[in-house]
Amino acid sequence: MNANILILVVFIAAMYFIMIRPQQKAQKKRQAMINDVQPGAQIVTIGGMHGTVASVNKEARTFELDAEGIILVFELSAIRQVSKEGNQVSAATTVDPETKTETETKSIEEDTTSENK
């Protein structure tokens, strides 16, 4: 009888450490990511929409997403991942097919931040 109870307790403890605890850690990490979102962050929503956070309303738990000039309002829980934070300039190298030369282009964010200064 005692062996059966011991096996049951060990099984429940193993289930906790294998299933429940990792899920709680992932949930805390996701919640911290959502709480740390700031305007200017590049995000992807759970629906696959990519864009830049225009503003965050912590009281209403919503944010405005700027997707190529279109402003959409989402709940903070709709964030799947944050690609990068702030107004960082990302450079991309492209090859011109006619001249076969590489040119470096920068995102629009650099132009808008320099105009605002």
Side-chain angles (χ1 to χ4, degrees), residues 40 42 84-92 104-114 117:
Q42 298 289 322
K84 65 180 180 179
E85 291 290 332
N87 289 330
Q88 298 174 351
V89 177
S90 59
E104 188 174 275
T105 58
K106 295 187 178 179
S107 68
I108 297 172
E109 293 174 7
E110 180 185 29
D111 295 333
T112 58
T113 55
S114 63
K117 290 181 181 178

Side-chain angles (χ1 to χ4, degrees), residues 22 24 44 49 51 80 88 90 114:
Q24 288 175 342
V44 179
M49 178 82 63
R80 180 184 341 166
Q88 298 174 351
S90 59
S114 63

Side-chain angles (χ1 to χ4, degrees), residues 89-110:
V89 177
S90 59
T93 304
T94 58
V95 177
D96 186 11
E98 294 177 6
T99 60
K100 304 286 186 197
T101 59
E102 291 185 359
T103 58
E104 188 174 275
T105 58
K106 295 187 178 179
S107 68
I108 297 172
E109 293 174 7
E110 180 185 29

Side-chain angles (χ1 to χ4, degrees), residues 22-61:
Q23 182 181 7
Q24 288 175 342
K25 289 174 86 175
Q27 188 176 20
K28 284 181 184 178
K29 182 179 175 184
R30 182 173 186 277
Q31 191 63 42
M33 176 190 67
I34 288 172
N35 289 337
D36 292 340
V37 151
Q38 298 295 324
Q42 298 289 322
I43 65 156
V44 179
T45 66
I46 56 176
M49 178 82 63
H50 294 249
T52 304
V53 176
S55 67
V56 179
N57 184 344
K58 297 283 185 181
E59 291 80 34
R61 306 237 350 117

Side-chain angles (χ1 to χ4, degrees), residues 72-84:
L72 304 167
V73 178
F74 287 96
E75 292 184 10
L76 285 172
S77 61
I79 297 173
R80 180 184 341 166
Q81 76 181 58
V82 177
S83 299
K84 65 180 180 179

